[in-house]
Amino acid sequence: MEKKFRFRTNLKCNGCVSKVTPFLNSTRDVKDWSVDLQHPDKVLTVTLQTGDTRSVCKAFEGAGFKIEEIH
């Protein structure tokens, strides 16, 4: 069952987004994602096939960025 999750990130620009893109795209659980760079918290919205957000956090941190789930 697909679920959407939102995360606060430290992305700053489209260059940052392009750095995390291959990491997120290669995460099996991620079905769809987007980043709102206009939002003060640079919110990442991810649609996951399962409810396991650890894979997203691991991919994001692997790209060198910080991420925190918004509950």
Side-chain angles (χ1 to χ4, degrees):
M1 184 168 113
E2 293 177 7
K3 286 182 80 178
K4 276 193 185 212
F5 296 90
R6 295 179 51 185
F7 299 88
R8 184 177 298 116
T9 74
N10 68 338
L11 296 175
K12 303 216 181 325
C13 62
N14 285 323
C16 297
V17 174
S18 67
K19 285 181 185 169
V20 300
T21 296
F23 289 88
L24 288 172
N25 287 349
S26 66
T27 303
R28 237 184 42 212
D29 197 30
V30 174
K31 185 158 195 301
D32 188 38
W33 64 272
S34 64
V35 178
D36 181 0
L37 292 176
Q38 302 304 311
H39 192 283
D41 289 331
K42 313 300 186 210
V43 174
L44 167 72
T45 303
V46 181
T47 303
L48 298 176
Q49 292 175 354
T50 69
D52 187 4
T53 59
R54 290 175 299 188
S55 60
V56 174
C57 294
K58 192 173 177 182
F60 219 81
E61 290 164 359
F65 295 96
K66 293 182 181 168
I67 187 169
E68 177 186 345
E69 189 172 351
I70 300 170
H71 295 282

